Amino acid sequence: MSDFTGTGTLVRLALRRDRILLPAWILVFAGMAYSSAAATVGLYPDEAARRTAAEAVNSSTALVALYGPVYDPESLGEISLFKMTAFGAALAAVLMIFLVVRHTRGDEESGRLELMASGRLGRNAPLTAALIVVTGASLVMALLSAGALSSTGLSGQGSLAFGLGWGLTGLAFGAVAAICVQITTGARAARGIALIALAVAYAIRAIADVTEGTWLSWLSPIGWMQQVRAYAGDRWWVLLLPLALTVVCVPIAFALRSRRDLGAGFITDRPGPAHGRLGTVWGLAWRLQRSVLLVWAAVFALFGLLMGSLIESSTGFLNSEQAIEFLEKLGGAKTLTDAFLGTELSFMGIIVTGFGISAAARLRSEETDGHAEVLLAQPVDRLRWALSHILIAAGGVAAILLAGGLGLAIGAALTTDNAPGFWSLVGAALARVPAAWVLTAVVVLLFGWLPRWVPLAWGVFVAALVLGEFAPLWDAPQWVMDVSPFVHSPRLPAASASMGGLIPLAAIAVVLLVVGLVGWRRRDLQP
C-alpha cells in the first residue's frame, strides 16, 4: 500500500464536508472584490480625481499602515482596491489556514483519521488531500475574483494579477499551516501558530510601508501581494515568491509527517506532576489556556511597542501642500496622530476577537473530547465549569488589549512628545474590549443552544469585520453597518470620539452570555 493510498477518497470527503461553506466563502471573496471595485469606479472619472484621492490615502499613515499605499496615483484599479490588496490577501490566508488544519490535525484530534487509518489509508493521504483542496480553492477563488473585477471594466490583465495574488497568498499560508499541524498536538495550537505567523507578516508589511523601508515588504508574503502592483505595472514575476514559499514548505511538512506518529507532534504536552494540584475548575481552565493567552499578550505588547515607536513618522507622508493645508484645517499634526493610533487600536481590537472566540470555543472541544463528561460526573456545577472558560476568554481579551495598550504607550513615550498621555492610550486600547466580548458571547450562545454550530462564530466574526471595514464603500444603509459591533467601538484617542457605544455593547454581550448559559443548563451533553 502506497503512502498516498486513499487520497482521492479523502479529497471527495473534504469537498462533501465543505460543500456549503467553502463555495460560500469563495463567492464572498469574489463578491467583495466586485462590490469594492464597482462602488468606486464611477467616483474617479479622470486622472485628476484619482491623483487627489491617492494623495489623500498616501498622506494618512493610518491608512497606509492598515491597507498599504497607492503606488500609481493615476490607476483606477489601484484606487478602487487599495483597501482590498493586503487586507483581502490576509483574509484569504485565514481561510486556507483553517481548511488545512480542519482536514489534518482537526481530524486527528477528533479520532476520525485513526478510524479511517484502520482501513486502506496511506500515511500521507490526509495531508495530500488537504493541500489538493486548498490548491483548488485558491485557484477557483483567484479566477472568480479576477473575472468579477474584470466585469466592472477594470483591466483584465490587472484583474488576473490581483486575483492570482490573493489565491497564491492563501496557498502559501496553507502550506505554512501544513507545517504547523505537524509541530503541534492540537488543532487550536496549530491554528494559533499559523495565525501568529500571518499577523507577523502583516505587521512587517505595515512597518515597511509606514517607514518607507520598501525592502522590508519583501520579507512578508502579504507584502508580496502589494509588490505584484496589480493595475500599476503588473509585476508577474513577484507571483513566483508565494509559489516558491509553497514549494519549500510542502516538502518540509511531508518530511515532518514521516517522523511522527498519528496524533503526536514535535511540541508535546509536558507531563504534569505526579500529584495533582488543581482543586477547582477555575484552576483547570487557567492551566489549559494560559500558554496561548500569554503568547497572545506578548505578541500584542511587542506589536504595540513597534506601532508606538512609529508615531513620530505619522506625518512623514505629508509631502503635498494640499495635504498639509487640509491637515491644518482639521487641527494639525495631532489629528493625524490620533487617526493613526485609532486605526492601529481598531486593528488590535479586531485581531484579539479571534482569541476570545477560540478561548470560548474550548467549551465545545472539551465536550466533544469527553473531558466535560468526566468533570460533570463529579460534584461540579455546570455553570461554574462553563464560567471558568468564559472568564478566561473575556478576561483574556481585556488582558491582551491591556498588554497592547501598554506597549503602545511605552513606545510612544520613548520616541515622541506628539502623542496622547500614557494612560489615555491604555484606556483607548481597553475601549475595544466590549466589541470583542459581543462576538465571544456569540460562541457561548451557540454552545448553549446549537453546539454543533459553534464554528459558525468564525463566520459571524468575518461578516462583522467585512461590514465594519467595507460596507461604507458599498453605500450600505447605516442599519446594516450597525450590525457589526466593531462600528460602535469609540475611535479613541481622538477627543471627538463618542463613548456611547460601550454600554450597549457590554449589555448585548451580557444578554447573549446569559441566554447561552440558560441553554447550556437545559440541554444534554452532545458528542
Side-chain angles (χ1 to χ4, degrees):
M1 182 176 66
S2 167
D3 284 344
F4 299 94
T5 299
T7 297
T9 301
L10 290 182
V11 169
R12 292 192 296 272
L13 176 61
L15 293 176
R16 179 173 176 79
R17 292 170 62 194
D18 295 335
R19 64 186 180 278
I20 296 176
L21 289 178
L22 184 55
W25 280 118
I26 291 175
L27 290 176
V28 164
F29 276 94
M32 284 195 305
Y34 174 82
S35 57
S36 295
T40 53
V41 162
L43 297 179
Y44 309 108
D46 52 42
E47 291 184 1
R50 293 195 286 272
R51 184 175 292 277
T52 300
E55 287 182 355
V57 171
N58 291 339
S59 297
S60 171
T61 309
L63 290 177
V64 170
L66 189 56
Y67 303 115
V70 177
Y71 291 104
D72 184 354
E74 298 178 1
S75 170
L76 178 60
E78 275 244 81
I79 296 297
S80 300
L81 294 165
F82 86 94
K83 274 194 171 185
M84 301 296 297
T85 304
F87 204 76
L91 291 178
V94 170
L95 174 61
M96 300 313 164
I97 287 170
F98 275 67
L99 273 178
V100 170
V101 175
R102 169 178 167 83
H103 294 298
T104 51
R105 180 58 70 176
D107 284 347
E108 285 189 50
E109 195 173 30
S110 66
R112 185 178 290 112
L113 277 184
E114 184 177 7
L115 179 63
M116 291 188 291
S118 62
R120 292 183 57 81
L121 187 66
R123 184 184 189 90
N124 293 327
L127 179 57
T128 305
L131 291 174
I132 290 174
V133 170
V134 165
T135 301
S138 298
L139 291 177
V140 171
M141 179 181 67
L143 295 176
L144 283 181
S145 299
L149 291 171
S150 181
S151 68
T152 65
L154 295 178
S155 161
Q157 184 172 334
S159 299
L160 182 58
F162 188 94
L164 288 176
W166 267 9
L168 293 178
T169 302
L171 180 61
F173 276 99
V176 171
I179 294 177
C180 295
V181 299
Q182 314 307 324
I183 296 173
T184 64
T185 57
R188 292 177 70 249
R191 280 193 297 267
I193 294 175
L195 291 176
I196 287 175
L198 174 60
V200 170
Y202 204 95
I204 291 174
R205 192 275 322 154
I207 293 170
D209 290 338
V210 169
T211 59
E212 300 184 11
T214 307
W215 66 271
L216 277 176
S217 64
W218 295 104
L219 302 179
S220 167
I222 302 298
W224 298 341
M225 172 65 195
Q226 291 181 207
Q227 295 301 332
V228 171
R229 306 283 178 93
Y231 306 107
D234 302 329
R235 299 156 114 185
W236 295 96
W237 64 269
V238 179
L239 295 173
L240 296 175
L241 294 177
L243 274 177
L245 179 60
T246 304
V247 170
V248 170
C249 289
V250 169
I252 294 175
F254 278 107
L256 293 175
R257 176 65 187 94
S258 67
R259 287 168 172 77
R260 69 172 182 89
D261 292 331
L262 188 68
F266 287 90
I267 301 177
T268 59
D269 297 329
R270 292 185 301 171
H275 300 285
R277 301 173 186 172
L278 298 177
T280 65
V281 291
W282 306 96
L284 177 61
W286 169 248
R287 176 69 178 270
L288 291 172
Q289 307 225 43
R290 66 184 180 187
S291 298
V292 175
L293 172 57
L294 293 175
V295 170
W296 273 79
V299 170
F300 264 61
L302 179 60
F303 180 76
L305 189 65
L306 290 173
M307 290 297 105
S309 67
L310 295 175
I311 292 176
E312 189 66 33
S313 64
S314 62
T315 57
F317 288 98
L318 295 178
N319 50 15
S320 162
E321 292 183 3
Q322 292 179 337
I324 294 173
E325 181 181 354
F326 179 68
L327 180 63
E328 289 177 348
K329 290 180 180 180
L330 289 178
K334 187 178 185 303
T335 302
L336 191 60
T337 299
D338 288 345
F340 172 72
L341 292 171
T343 301
E344 297 311 316
L345 287 169
S346 296
F347 189 48
M348 293 167 67
I350 290 170
I351 295 176
V352 79
T353 306
F355 169 83
I357 293 173
S358 178
R362 187 65 184 254
L363 289 167
R364 179 57 180 165
S365 63
E366 289 290 292
E367 181 181 14
T368 56
D369 292 342
H371 300 157
E373 183 177 6
V374 174
L375 284 173
L376 297 177
Q378 307 297 319
V380 174
D381 182 72
R382 270 184 168 233
L383 285 182
R384 192 164 71 247
W385 173 77
L387 285 171
S388 66
H389 287 280
I390 294 170
L391 179 63
I392 296 296
V397 165
I400 293 168
L401 281 174
L402 175 61
L406 287 172
L408 188 66
I410 293 172
L414 292 176
T415 57
T416 182
D417 295 328
N418 186 33
F422 186 94
W423 295 111
S424 297
L425 287 177
V426 175
L430 292 176
R432 270 68 182 182
V433 169
W437 278 351
V438 170
L439 293 173
T440 302
V442 168
V443 179
V444 181
L445 178 68
L446 293 171
F447 173 73
W449 293 96
L450 300 168
R452 289 187 173 87
W453 287 87
V454 164
L456 182 63
W458 290 106
V460 176
F461 169 53
V462 173
L465 173 59
V466 170
L467 286 176
E469 291 296 323
F470 303 111
L473 292 177
W474 309 330
D475 291 328
Q478 185 61 44
W479 68 267
V480 173
M481 291 185 279
D482 288 341
V483 171
S484 171
F486 300 124
V487 172
H488 303 283
S489 291
R491 288 280 178 173
L492 295 174
S496 60
S498 172
M499 305 289 288
L502 292 180
I503 293 178
L505 286 174
I508 291 172
V510 170
V511 170
L512 293 175
L513 178 63
V514 170
V515 174
L517 290 175
V518 169
W520 164 238
R521 288 196 66 180
R522 293 170 59 90
R523 73 171 176 87
D524 293 330
L525 292 175
Q526 298 182 22

